[in-house]
Amino acid sequence: MNAPRLEDIEEEQAEALLSLVFPPALNDLLVDWLLEQPEVKGFISLPVNGHGGSEHSMSAAEKVAGYRKGAMIQTHMPQKEACELLRRLKEAFHGSDIHYWMTPLIVGGHLE
């Protein structure tokens, strides 16, 4: 089953969790870009290891280790805003090997 296309998502009120996984070399550039976006109120970033997937693009050392080092950013916002952010991200970082997914956010907030 294929995920819905970005263009097909229309629900303005639904909250979404947007996840971006990318090469560590893009970290500073992507963080700076996200901090300039009006709909991004904050996000988390963390180092990750990618397993499987596109082995043809892995270096020899990554193939031996069995993983590729990466970074991940997660943020949540209204789904429609996340779609618009992704459109601009695709323009600004075309060809940058950024993998993304968006999932519905059932509930979120601060524990007080």
Side-chain angles (χ1 to χ4, degrees):
M1 173 162 58
N2 290 331
R5 295 178 317 145
L6 189 56
E7 296 80 21
D8 296 335
I9 299 173
E10 295 293 329
E11 296 179 47
E12 188 171 341
Q13 299 300 325
E15 285 283 311
L17 176 66
L18 178 61
S19 300
L20 306 171
V21 177
F22 51 92
L26 287 178
N27 192 69
D28 291 344
L29 187 62
L30 186 55
V31 165
D32 289 346
W33 187 87
L34 285 169
L35 289 170
E36 294 175 355
Q37 306 311 304
E39 62 271 79
V40 178
K41 307 298 186 230
F43 53 87
I44 62 166
S45 61
L46 55 152
V48 295
N49 293 324
H51 303 270
S54 57
E55 193 174 299
H56 66 278
S57 64
M58 294 174 76
S59 70
E62 291 168 338
K63 287 178 184 176
V64 170
Y67 65 90
R68 168 184 279 168
K69 290 185 179 199
M72 181 165 71
I73 287 176
Q74 289 187 312
T75 186
H76 67 87
M77 64 189 66
Q79 193 166 293
K80 190 167 186 162
E81 290 181 16
C83 290
E84 179 56 35
L85 180 69
L86 274 175
R87 283 186 190 93
R88 292 196 316 273
L89 184 72
K90 286 179 178 183
E91 290 175 12
F93 289 89
H94 179 76
S96 296
D97 196 23
I98 297 174
H99 180 75
Y100 71 90
W101 62 91
M102 187 186 322
T103 57
L105 183 64
I106 297 169
V107 67
H110 294 277
L111 298 177
E112 300 192 30

